[in-house]
Amino acid sequence: MASRSEPAPAAAAAALPLLLLLLSAAALIPRGDGQNLVTEDVTVVEGEVATISCRVKNSDDSVIQLLNPNRQTIYFRDFRPLKDSRFQLVNFSNSELRVSLTNVSVSDEGRYFCQLYTDPPQETYTTITVLVPPRNLMIDIQKETDVEGEEIELNCTAMASRPATTIRWFKGSKELTGKSEVERWSDMFTVTSQLSFMVRREDDGVPVVCQVEHPAVKELQTMHYLDVMYKPHVQVSQKYPLQGGLTREGESLELVCQAEGKPKPTDMKWLRVDDELPQHVIVSRSNLHISSLNKTDNGTYRCEASNAVGKSYADYMLYVYDSRAGEDGSIRAVDHAVIGGVVAVVVFAMLCLLIILGRYFARHKGTYFTHEAKGADDAADADTAIINAEGGQNNSEEKKEYFI
């Protein structure tokens, strides 16, 4: 009689993956609401650790299983059939299966399924999203040195990111607007932003910053310091007499020329516009000195400075006053004020006198006409009118005295 052998433990272990596959196929039901099985989506940066959690709200000791996007079993309860050692069990109980995935790569992105073997079976999924920070952030410039008034162009490139980055530009503390282009290579994005603007001398030494905004990084930026060349800026000041003082005959004059540029001005010179410098003028580097001024020194004096970028100048207009100019200026000013006041008072007095005289003559002229009219009205002939006029005059005098 032949005897029947018992199955070996190795044979049982070999049959387990097939059993898990059958159970997985039987548990394929759509994800829905109101289930006891819950999980959350996971966002992780490439190279870091992602944690997947399958939780049961009302546990009845049913089996929990975790599957990868290819529906291969990662963990069946606390057993890991998958050979990928990056998956490690963090926690296992009747209400939770929590697994960590280390050194995450873009190929790990996708849906991971949690299955609960109840009647009927339940299934839900979590999505792992892998972020890839940009690499090799750099600013490309056309030339190291720029010249004032030129338009320059800078390009900032953020390579191999996921998703595409956003690039912002700053010149000092002021934000500028660039023009961006996005290129896609497989699952990665390369963004290039171009910035153009005209440089000024005030931009020399100012940093231009390319700043990246991406969910995988907090602060990522690179910068380029502007090196701007500009022609000299020239100023002429009066050292003696003190600024604002009169330049008088016989006195001295000293002018100082200051020039700033990049590179430093290499050539500075004085000249007289539309004429030659007087022979007694002394030029020492940036200073011009005239020991004894006279009227022939009048004119416009110019200081010119130049460097590799260009040439600039500043003018000083000289007018030589008489030797006594300005000494009694304040007294003369007072005299003019006094004279003006006296003239105003005299004019006012004359106007008042004219008004009084006008009123006086107007009143007496009216009295004369009145008296003459009275004598003519009472007379029968010319002789009688004259006699009446004389009598009327006497009466008028009496009336005038009475009136007064």
Side-chain angles (χ1 to χ4, degrees), residues 147 229-232 262-266 306-311:
V147 178
M229 314 292 282
Y230 51 92
K231 64 182 181 180
K262 187 176 180 180
K264 187 177 180 180
T266 55
S306 60
N307 60 10
V309 179
K311 180 172 65 176

Side-chain angles (χ1 to χ4, degrees), residues 143 145-152 197-200:
K143 53 183 181 180
T145 303
D146 307 303
V147 178
E148 180 184 21
E150 291 183 347
E151 185 173 82
I152 66 170
F197 62 92
M198 184 177 294
V199 292
R200 304 173 300 171

Side-chain angles (χ1 to χ4, degrees), residues 167-178 195 211 213:
I167 293 179
R168 298 173 65 187
W169 287 98
F170 294 89
K171 185 179 73 171
S173 59
K174 182 180 180 181
E175 184 170 4
L176 304 179
T177 302
L195 177 67
Q211 179 177 300
E213 291 185 351

Side-chain angles (χ1 to χ4, degrees), residues 97-112:
L97 173 61
R98 190 189 310 166
V99 177
S100 65
L101 171 60
T102 59
N103 194 23
V104 176
S105 65
V106 175
S107 60
D108 296 321
E109 195 172 74
R111 289 182 175 180
Y112 289 75

Side-chain angles (χ1 to χ4, degrees), residues 316-329:
Y316 174 86
M317 183 172 291
L318 172 63
Y319 180 80
V320 180
Y321 293 86
D322 293 335
S323 58
R324 295 179 58 84
E327 292 181 357
D328 56 349

